[in-house]
Amino acid sequence: MQGEVPPRAGRGIREWCEQGAGLHEAARSLRADHVGAVAAVRAAYEPLQAELVGRELESIPVARLKDATDGRLRLGAMEEAGFGSVRAVYETSRYALRQVPGVGEQTADRALAAARQIARAVAGTVTVRVDVDHPEPRTTALVVALHRLVEAGPELSRALDAAERLDTRLGELLPAARPAGGRLRLALAGRERRERALAAAAELGDLLADAAATDVRLLLAQASTDLLRPAVPDLEAWVDFELRPAEYYGRLTEVSEQRPDAAASEGFVPSEVAERVHAQRLDDTYRRVSLRGYQEFGARFALVQQRVVLGDEMGLGKTVQAIAALAHLAAEGHTHFLVVCPASVLINWAREIRARSTLRAFTVHGPERHDAHAEWHERGGVAVTTFDVLHTLPAPDGTPPGMLVVDEAHYVKNPDTRRSRSVAAWTERCERVLFLTGTPMENRVEEFRALLRHLRPDLVPVVSDTDAAAGPHAFRRSVAPAYLRRNQEDVLTELPALVHTDEWVELRPADRAAYQEAVAEGNFMAMRRAAYTDPETSAKLQRLRELVAEAAVNGLKVVVFSYFRDVLDSVRAALGEGTLGPISGSVPAVRRQQLADDFTAVPGHAVLLSQIEAGGVGLNLQAASVVILCEPQVKPTVEHQAVARVHRMGQIRAVRVHRLLAADSVDDRLLRILARKERLFDAFARRSDLADATPDAVDISDVGLARRIVEEEQQRLAEHAKAGTA
């Protein structure tokens, strides 16, 4: 006897099935669109990879084929026939090899199999790099194909995850639920089938309600639209690549499936720690940027281990890993977070949080710090404060921040200082604490013990000088529960050789007063170097010292460029003895070259100072891997040529370019005006032969730009003064 048909069966469930079928089709379409976009990238990538593999195989003697066959291969006949390299065999057909006198069927097959085995091994070692200064049709095709994936943004990954889940689940639910879409068909179905259909229909209804609440349809539709956009013009793709090369290389890594050594990219942590980290899901709902594989691991490590030191080498994105962890915790329901950092990077942190996530950032510093703290306390978000201000903030009442992040954590190595005591008080209250430092702790075991006393006092007795003496890998394994460090050579195999970072700072009172005076006088050049008026308190000089110090502990050479000789004099005084230069217009060419040679000859860390128009042309400074620009340049080509002295053919390390910028100043104004120029024209002109010969031809007028900036700054400061906020 058939059971009674529930009243919800029939039309309502039929509508659910129709909606589910539409959602299923949207999910399947997105997955197909993504497959097509990935195929386009692979089609452009594979010829470039094949060429690199071919070059490597060309350098391998054909005799090495014996190594892949345990010496059982006879190659005399092939060598006599002119097969001198593995490449010659690899690119020859089976039929052609068999035509060689003395080469039988078995020998030909074994030789080809050995050549292919070696080629697969070589393919895992070569890295396709995109030379932005020498574009050619094949690399242009790759950049254009990648542009579609990059432009889709981090939402693409979220949409693909949703599409995969929906494709799988709806593929099961729809056939099972359809019998419940007709009252008669359901009534005639057996009891067991009817119950299955109704259960599937109920789950389908829940799935559709959840999809509607989270706008999944819109997410899928937008992702498909992004993947189906027409290819952009070549030049536009190249310009975009220059603006965000790391995102292009990140997508290329995903598509090409080339990964750095897993153990190295995971900091050589023990397998049991790595397994826990891999099992941690990373929610990107509140994140605006895609992460590299090693960066995802770092963010997950911080979440899983809860109280850790992230000690990645400078330039690997410690800040974005911290922001990713904060964004994940926000998605889990945590509302308040606290970042403590030196004053020199305060503005940078606030800007990065706003750019890389949807979290609110509050700068708790300066005269209005108490108001900012109160607003953070009421509204939630990320409070960014300094070591010197932290002790003035009221202790958290009730629930502490979801995570405390301490940047440049080596600042708190001395437990007797006020900053260390303040940090210690907050770390005791917070369940999750993330210390960031680019200083290699295995070289400073006592410093590391000091940091562990804040985070994991139980591990302090475990850390010994013996572990450090055994080498960095052994040290990292011994302290794996609380320390993760990756070096650039471990994870940057596919990254571009040039990474730009804008270092934003706030003008200190003395520099601010000098700046306002220069604006009032209409003195453009004085405005540009006002940030160095008081070397004792200059925020730019403070940040410069920190960058140089971090480069020193990592054994990296640094070139510091400025347009102004007096700025370089201040830098020299700030850095002390041992600084080379400055190279300036008054230094003869022979002496300039001698300074560059002396810089190259210094073993390990060294610093060279140079006026940008004197050292930016003609000299080879590729011994350096860190460039610091003391101020933005009026002519973009001047900056470009100076960086090119370091980032050039033969450079074996990634080059990090740090541009020091003062917020609410001529620096900010200059960048905004230059950004509004026709950047496509600039990029085209800069690559043309004419522009290389006469770079001034594509730069805007110094006089016109200076006049415009002075006028705009005078107006802005006048408005602030009128409002009582100057």
Side-chain angles (χ1 to χ4, degrees):
M1 180 178 177
Q2 304 295 335
E4 183 179 353
V5 177
R8 63 181 175 179
R11 183 174 179 180
I13 293 179
R14 199 158 53 243
E15 291 176 354
W16 283 354
C17 289
E18 290 173 358
Q19 294 172 18
L23 189 59
H24 191 207
E25 179 59 29
R28 296 180 66 185
S29 294
L30 173 57
R31 298 187 74 184
D33 296 338
H34 182 249
V35 167
V38 168
V41 174
R42 285 186 176 144
Y45 169 82
E46 287 171 359
L48 294 168
Q49 183 194 42
E51 180 181 338
L52 295 176
V53 170
R55 290 178 189 171
E56 292 295 319
L57 296 180
E58 182 70 38
S59 66
I60 302 175
V62 72
R64 291 294 301 276
L65 293 176
K66 290 182 178 180
D67 298 340
T69 58
D70 297 325
R72 293 174 295 174
L73 194 59
R74 296 180 179 178
L75 300 170
M78 282 189 284
E79 290 175 328
E80 290 178 6
F83 289 86
S85 68
V86 172
R87 180 177 187 173
V89 177
Y90 178 70
E91 295 181 349
T92 301
S93 69
R94 184 175 182 229
Y95 174 80
L97 270 183
R98 287 184 177 182
Q99 306 310 304
V100 176
V103 176
E105 179 178 336
Q106 187 178 45
T107 299
D109 289 348
R110 283 184 175 178
L112 277 174
R116 289 166 183 162
Q117 181 181 341
I118 292 174
R120 285 193 295 271
V122 168
T125 65
V126 300
T127 300
V128 172
R129 295 192 183 277
V130 179
D131 188 349
V132 70
D133 292 316
H134 300 91
E136 47 100 0
R138 290 180 305 171
T139 54
T140 296
L142 178 60
V143 171
V144 170
L146 284 169
H147 178 272
R148 183 176 281 113
L149 294 175
V150 171
E151 193 65 18
E155 290 79 11
L156 176 59
S157 296
R158 195 177 308 132
L160 287 171
D161 289 343
E164 183 177 0
R165 292 194 303 270
L166 290 171
D167 190 8
T168 301
R169 197 69 195 108
L170 288 172
E172 298 167 348
L173 287 177
L174 287 171
R178 282 196 178 98
R183 296 179 62 84
L184 178 60
R185 182 167 47 176
L186 187 62
L188 296 176
R191 179 178 178 180
E192 185 176 341
R193 187 182 178 195
R194 181 166 59 246
E195 289 177 351
R196 284 201 310 268
L198 290 173
E203 188 174 345
L204 175 62
D206 291 342
L207 186 151
L208 290 172
D210 182 66
T214 55
D215 286 330
V216 167
R217 284 182 181 275
L218 179 61
L219 179 68
L220 300 180
Q222 184 60 57
S224 277
T225 299
D226 291 337
L227 292 176
L228 294 175
R229 294 185 192 281
V232 298
D234 296 353
L235 192 57
E236 184 175 340
W238 275 113
V239 171
D240 194 59
F241 175 84
E242 286 195 72
L243 292 174
R244 42 181 177 170
E247 294 184 41
Y248 278 78
Y249 277 102
R251 293 298 188 187
L252 181 58
T253 301
E254 295 170 4
V255 171
S256 66
E257 299 179 349
Q258 282 196 319
R259 299 289 190 272
D261 177 74
S265 65
E266 294 172 1
F268 300 98
V269 299
S271 58
E272 62 271 17
V273 175
E275 288 172 6
R276 290 199 300 271
V277 174
H278 287 302
Q280 169 69 51
R281 185 181 66 89
L282 191 61
D283 195 310
D284 63 354
T285 303
Y286 296 110
R287 180 161 34 94
R288 284 178 169 159
V289 64
S290 299
L291 300 180
R292 312 307 303 272
Y294 75 88
Q295 291 173 334
E296 281 206 7
F297 187 88
R300 290 173 176 173
F301 179 84
L303 294 167
V304 170
Q305 299 301 104
Q306 295 193 335
R307 301 172 70 85
V308 300
V309 178
L310 178 59
D312 286 346
E313 189 176 7
M314 62 188 299
L316 294 187
K318 293 186 289 293
T319 301
V320 77
Q321 293 175 68
I323 292 172
L326 299 181
H328 172 89
L329 292 171
E332 287 192 337
H334 295 272
T335 56
H336 292 71
F337 309 97
L338 179 63
V339 173
V340 184
C341 62
S344 57
V345 294
L346 185 80
I347 298 298
N348 248 42
W349 263 102
R351 285 175 177 255
E352 285 291 289
I353 291 166
R354 294 176 186 125
R356 310 292 185 183
S357 75
T358 58
L359 304 177
R360 288 186 295 267
F362 297 91
T363 303
V364 183
H365 183 64
E368 299 178 356
R369 61 183 180 275
H370 294 298
D371 292 340
H373 180 270
E375 187 176 1
W376 167 69
H377 186 270
E378 179 182 349
R379 299 181 60 194
V382 185
V384 185
T385 192
T386 65
F387 290 108
D388 294 333
V389 170
L390 183 63
H391 78 280
T392 70
L393 301 182
D397 52 344
T399 305
M403 177 175 275
L404 168 67
V405 178
V406 180
D407 195 13
E408 307 289 357
H410 48 277
Y411 276 40
V412 297
K413 63 186 177 184
N414 184 347
D416 297 327
T417 62
R418 186 175 66 184
R419 65 175 58 160
S420 292
R421 292 195 298 270
S422 299
V423 168
W426 280 83
T427 56
E428 288 175 3
R429 296 184 178 95
C430 296
E431 180 182 359
R432 299 176 186 83
V433 183
L434 176 57
F435 280 10
L436 307 178
T437 175
T439 302
M441 290 290 107
E442 54 266 39
N443 297 346
R444 291 166 168 75
V445 177
E446 192 50 48
E447 285 186 20
F448 188 57
R449 289 196 190 101
L451 298 187
L452 279 186
R453 289 187 185 98
H454 290 286
L455 301 172
R456 294 283 304 271
D458 58 303
L459 289 179
V460 173
V462 177
V463 181
S464 68
D465 294 318
T466 305
D467 294 318
H473 296 171
F475 176 82
R476 293 179 206 174
R477 288 192 183 97
S478 72
V479 298
Y483 181 54
L484 179 66
R485 177 176 173 86
R486 281 76 56 90
N487 296 326
Q488 66 166 2
E489 59 265 26
D490 295 333
V491 296
L492 292 191
T493 55
E494 80 293 345
L495 272 178
L498 188 64
V499 180
H500 286 271
T501 302
D502 283 344
E503 305 281 353
W504 289 94
V505 301
E506 279 187 324
L507 290 173
R508 300 291 169 79
D511 296 340
R512 173 66 64 189
Y515 180 74
Q516 292 173 343
E517 182 180 348
V519 172
E521 295 174 352
N523 189 333
F524 181 65
M525 291 304 189
M527 290 163 58
R528 293 183 64 200
R529 57 185 190 271
Y532 300 93
T533 298
D534 185 353
E536 293 297 319
T537 63
S538 168
K540 280 195 177 185
L541 278 179
Q542 175 60 30
R543 184 58 184 150
L544 186 147
R545 280 192 292 262
E546 292 166 356
L547 292 171
V548 170
E550 189 167 349
V553 297
N554 287 285
L556 305 177
K557 286 185 167 66
V558 183
V559 178
V560 179
F561 285 115
S562 176
Y563 183 85
F564 304 100
R565 174 61 190 267
D566 57 345
V567 169
L568 293 175
D569 291 339
S570 296
V571 172
R572 186 183 185 89
L575 297 181
E577 295 297 324
T579 304
L580 297 172
I583 295 174
S584 66
S586 61
V587 175
V590 174
R591 176 56 181 159
R592 295 185 199 181
Q593 187 59 58
Q594 184 60 53
L595 284 169
D597 292 343
D598 292 346
F599 175 68
T600 301
V602 173
H605 172 70
V607 180
L608 175 66
L609 309 181
S610 177
Q611 280 190 281
I612 196 163
E613 291 193 329
V617 179
L619 292 178
N620 182 346
L621 302 175
Q622 68 185 46
S625 51
V626 178
V627 176
I628 299 177
L629 301 168
C630 291
E631 70 284 319
Q633 302 306 304
V634 176
K635 297 180 179 180
T637 50
V638 172
E639 189 172 303
H640 173 75
Q641 288 175 340
V643 172
R645 297 304 95 207
V646 177
H647 177 232
R648 56 192 294 133
M649 190 67 69
Q651 173 63 255
I652 60 173
R653 294 177 63 87
V655 174
R656 269 95 66 180
V657 179
H658 299 269
R659 183 164 51 180
L660 302 177
L661 302 165
D664 297 324
S665 77
V666 61
D667 295 351
D668 206 345
R669 188 73 61 179
L670 180 59
L671 291 188
R672 290 181 186 180
I673 290 178
L674 293 177
R676 290 199 295 265
K677 294 172 60 181
E678 291 293 334
R679 62 179 187 168
L680 293 181
F681 169 77
D682 288 347
F684 174 79
R686 181 158 56 78
R687 290 196 186 92
S688 72
D689 293 337
L690 176 62
D692 289 340
T694 57
D696 290 346
V698 296
D699 280 313
I700 61 179
S701 164
D702 288 19
V703 176
L705 178 63
R707 184 183 301 114
R708 178 176 175 183
I709 290 178
V710 167
E711 291 173 353
E712 291 185 0
E713 282 295 273
Q714 288 174 337
Q715 181 179 352
R716 183 180 69 84
L717 292 180
E719 291 173 353
H720 282 194
K722 185 176 181 180
T725 59

